[in-house]
Amino acid sequence: VWPSTTGHTGPDMAVVEFDPGRRYAHEFGLRRYRVRLGYTVEPHGDGTRLVRTIEANGPIADLATAGLGQQLLALYKPQVRALLDFFAA
């Protein structure tokens, strides 16, 4: 699945996991890396919490993942907000 978003300026994304109300993940290429961002809703106390995961594959990915995380958050801020709103509904 290739999402179509108006005004999207980041790399093309592919939805690779979708469990409505529970989990969503997408992948994309960034430089020499393949990156997967996942979002999982888990029970927490009397409510829920959103757990975000970032996986990167490519040259020295273990060292690059920490720096990529902050760049990805900035790049995908509108998409992350939309996911939070979706799961909160």
Side-chain angles (χ1 to χ4, degrees):
V1 175
W2 291 96
S4 173
T5 55
T6 304
H8 174 68
T9 59
D12 287 336
M13 298 179 288
V15 175
V16 294
E17 292 181 53
F18 184 67
D19 182 1
R22 168 91 175 97
R23 176 139 174 87
Y24 166 86
H26 63 268
E27 285 186 353
F28 55 91
L30 182 65
R31 300 187 199 116
R32 298 179 297 167
Y33 301 97
R34 192 80 197 146
V35 180
R36 177 184 287 222
L37 298 179
Y39 304 89
T40 304
V41 176
E42 296 181 346
H44 183 73
D46 290 338
T48 58
R49 68 177 171 181
L50 181 66
V51 177
R52 183 186 61 238
T53 57
I54 300 172
E55 301 172 31
N57 294 303
I60 61 170
D62 291 344
L63 297 175
T65 301
L68 284 174
Q70 292 304 314
Q71 291 176 10
L72 295 173
L73 286 176
L75 181 65
Y76 288 107
K77 189 173 183 176
Q79 289 86 346
V80 171
R81 173 78 317 193
L83 284 169
L84 290 171
D85 292 345
F86 172 78
F87 283 121

